[in-house]
Amino acid sequence: MDSKPQTIVSRVVSLAKKIAKGLLYALAALIVVYFLFKVWEYTAESDQQQATKVLRAEQGEQFTNLSKQIAPYSPLVVGSSSLQFVKRAVNEPLFQYLLGNSYQTFITALEDSASIVYVGPFIFGSGCQKSGCALSQAAYIIDPSKGRVYAATIENGKTRYFGFTEGEPIPAAFESWAAKSIAGESK
């Protein structure tokens, strides 16, 4: 009679060992699959980052070319609407690239636009939000001598500049515009 319980116990132990081995193999397989997934994910992310770098470089080159193309004819638009100049089909991609995610905010802040004027050697366009000049204002400067375009927005008293490289001075036209705008003078 003793042999029957021992046989059952040995079968249970043998079954438990087989189940444990199966679980270990399954766990090892899951670890390998997870590792392979992470390698694939890293490779895909790396490829995407490389493609993004290439796209940004191309966009940067297009931005530079558009800026240089706009600068020579910008004196011809002095006296026209600042907003209409930005919204021209030729100019809009330039401002979209320059402002990035802030483009729509810039357009909204330029709805009640002033005429484009000369401010020293620069061509200056500005405006404010329709029925809310105290809420947001926007301006841009074209430097025909350098073929560069710069932009700025003021929202809730905070000024943001676009298109400047680190350490590059802010033109006096922007500084006086920002000071007047924050002080409460419109356009």
Side-chain angles (χ1 to χ4, degrees), residues 83-101:
L83 179 60
Q84 292 308 323
F85 178 78
V86 171
K87 286 187 149 188
R88 283 184 175 175
V90 178
N91 302 340
E92 196 167 30
L94 171 93
F95 283 96
Q96 287 174 339
Y97 178 80
L98 176 67
L99 295 155
N101 293 336

Side-chain angles (χ1 to χ4, degrees), residues 7-164:
T7 311
I8 293 174
V9 170
S10 66
R11 285 184 182 173
V12 169
V13 169
S14 176
L15 183 61
K17 285 182 181 179
K18 287 180 183 178
I19 291 173
K21 273 186 180 179
L23 288 175
L24 285 175
Y25 286 135
L27 181 62
L30 285 174
I31 290 172
V32 169
V33 168
Y34 177 77
F35 176 75
L36 291 174
F37 173 73
K38 283 300 186 180
V39 167
W40 172 80
E41 183 181 45
Y42 174 77
T43 304
E45 187 175 309
S46 177
D47 291 345
Q48 186 177 9
Q49 287 176 350
Q50 185 63 27
T52 301
K53 284 181 185 178
V54 169
L55 181 62
R56 283 187 183 160
E58 289 174 359
Q59 287 176 336
E61 188 175 317
Q62 288 176 344
F63 172 74
T64 302
N65 291 338
L66 282 172
S67 293
K68 288 180 181 177
Q69 290 173 4
I70 286 175
Y73 81 81
S74 59
L76 301 174
V77 295
V78 170
S80 64
S81 165
S82 297
L83 179 60
Q84 292 308 323
F85 178 78
V86 171
K87 286 187 149 188
R88 283 184 175 175
V90 178
N91 302 340
E92 196 167 30
L94 171 93
F95 283 96
Q96 287 174 339
Y97 178 80
L98 176 67
L99 295 155
N101 293 336
S102 299
Y103 176 74
Q104 194 55 49
T105 304
F106 181 80
I107 293 298
T108 301
L110 204 59
E111 285 176 341
D112 189 11
S113 67
S115 297
I116 297 173
V117 296
Y118 274 108
V119 176
F122 303 114
I123 307 221
F124 182 78
S126 65
C128 64
Q129 184 173 342
K130 196 172 266 268
S131 303
C133 282
L135 297 175
S136 64
Q137 297 183 35
Y140 58 89
I141 288 179
I142 302 168
D143 184 349
S145 64
K146 291 182 182 176
R148 298 277 310 270
V149 178
Y150 308 100
T153 60
I154 298 176
E155 286 188 285
N156 301 322
K158 183 181 176 197
T159 306
R160 288 185 60 200
Y161 296 101
F162 302 88
F164 292 95

